[in-house]
Amino acid sequence: MAAGAPEKMHIIGAGLGRTATNSLKLALERLGHKTYHMTEALENRHQMIEWGRMARGEISHDDILDFVAAEGYTAGCDFPISLLYKDVMRRNPDAKVILTLRDPAEKWAAGFVETIGSFAYWATKPPMTLFRPGFGDLKLWLWKQAGMTLDPETLAVPFESAVTGYTKWKEAVIAAVPKEKLLIFEAKDGWQPLCAFLEIEAQMCPSAVGEAYPYAPNDRAFMVNLNNVMYFLSDWFLVIYFLTLVSGPSLLILAVRCCCCRAASVKEKAA
């Protein structure tokens, strides 16, 4: 576990991934909050290992939230921390909850199933399990926690299950969070409702100086391409690994021979 001075979580995003959570992260960071997001877990191997342990039941929800707090985060959104919003509320009674949406559910599901909703297959296989151990376990936990099912062969979330899961999750958050502590938010709403909800004075809100609400780049095409590449690598990993083992020494020997031949040629010319 990480060591450090624990921080309270003041804001927790309870929206599912692919609801402009990266834009919300940028907005919260602009307002001074160190914000936890899936990108942090992916970029830091030690964090993903801890999330994998939590997904396998080796540590509790409180243990992983202690870990996040010790890393200094004061806000969170997106998977995986959004699925622990109730635990965050219990630990931080004054925390405010932001439910990001991308309605209608069918529109959200269409983007979800062709991007992160299809990642579990290769996330549970090498080479991903070697570079980010725990990611596969976390993916399986995420979809179960969000009330979604998986195709037994592809481990992808079917479209119908994504629509149902999104709808039920939205309803559950609205029912669980007191109205005065909940902001239902879409990126198109901009700065003003967010600043008002967080009790930021109007003149201190970025919109007061004409600053546009941040929009993270649309990475849908990138994720689709990533999905295709990782499917290929996971299916053919053993073959690629074997060929690398075989070709590696051969290339080294060839390089040594070339160097020796070049050295001999230079020596002959010198003589």
Side-chain angles (χ1 to χ4, degrees):
M1 288 290 182
E7 290 283 352
K8 289 185 177 181
M9 188 72 73
H10 300 290
I11 305 164
I12 179 65
L16 303 181
R18 308 304 297 168
T19 58
T21 52
N22 203 13
S23 295
L24 178 61
K25 169 183 163 65
L26 294 176
L28 293 177
E29 289 179 339
R30 170 64 179 82
L31 297 175
H33 290 280
K34 184 178 180 181
T35 306
Y36 200 78
H37 186 276
M38 178 62 89
T39 53
E40 271 67 36
L42 281 172
E43 291 171 1
N44 296 281
R45 193 173 189 269
H46 71 288
Q47 293 188 12
M48 188 56 72
I49 289 173
E50 296 300 323
W51 281 105
R53 292 180 63 204
M54 187 277 301
R56 294 189 300 271
E58 296 171 6
I59 60 175
S60 68
H61 291 181
D62 279 325
D63 288 330
I64 194 66
L65 291 175
D66 284 342
F67 176 77
V68 172
E71 296 257 319
Y73 293 95
T74 60
C77 61
D78 194 63
F79 297 132
I81 198 167
S82 62
L83 299 185
L84 300 182
Y85 76 95
K86 288 183 179 179
D87 296 283
V88 174
M89 290 171 61
R90 171 176 53 79
R91 292 162 55 97
N92 304 273
D94 296 328
K96 295 193 173 187
V97 181
I98 301 173
L99 174 61
T100 47
L101 299 176
R102 179 169 285 166
D103 285 333
E106 290 76 12
K107 179 180 179 181
W108 173 85
F112 171 79
V113 298
E114 71 173 356
T115 56
I116 59 177
S118 299
F119 283 8
Y121 177 81
W122 51 262
T124 56
K125 301 177 183 296
M128 195 63 186
T129 52
L130 302 176
F131 293 105
R132 282 296 177 269
F135 186 50
D137 296 312
L138 178 61
K139 278 294 179 184
L140 298 178
W141 176 85
L142 288 177
W143 310 150
K144 180 179 179 181
Q145 189 80 1
M148 301 178 194
T149 59
L150 296 177
D151 181 281
E153 293 185 5
T154 66
L155 298 182
V157 179
F159 178 80
E160 295 78 10
S161 180
V163 171
T164 301
Y166 175 90
T167 303
K168 289 186 176 180
W169 183 263
K170 171 183 173 180
E171 294 171 349
V173 173
I174 293 173
V177 182
K179 289 184 178 180
E180 67 275 11
K181 291 187 177 182
L182 176 65
L183 173 66
I184 299 174
F185 185 75
E186 293 193 44
K188 64 183 180 181
D189 297 337
W191 281 115
Q192 293 185 2
L194 182 62
C195 288
F197 178 67
L198 298 179
E199 300 180 45
I200 296 173
E201 295 182 5
Q203 64 269 26
M204 300 301 295
C205 186
S207 61
V209 292
E211 185 176 328
Y213 183 82
Y215 281 91
N218 189 337
D219 55 3
R220 184 168 176 171
F222 168 78
M223 287 191 173
V224 171
N225 291 331
L226 173 66
N227 209 21
N228 293 333
V229 170
M230 293 306 297
Y231 260 94
F232 174 82
L233 289 178
S234 60
D235 282 340
W236 293 93
F237 177 74
L238 290 179
V239 174
I240 295 171
Y241 181 69
F242 175 76
L243 291 176
T244 302
L245 288 179
V246 172
S247 63
S250 299
L251 291 173
L252 179 60
I253 292 171
L254 179 61
V256 171
R257 286 181 176 176
C258 288
C259 289
C260 290
C261 289
R262 181 179 177 82
S265 177
V266 171
K267 187 174 182 180
E268 286 180 6
K269 289 180 179 180

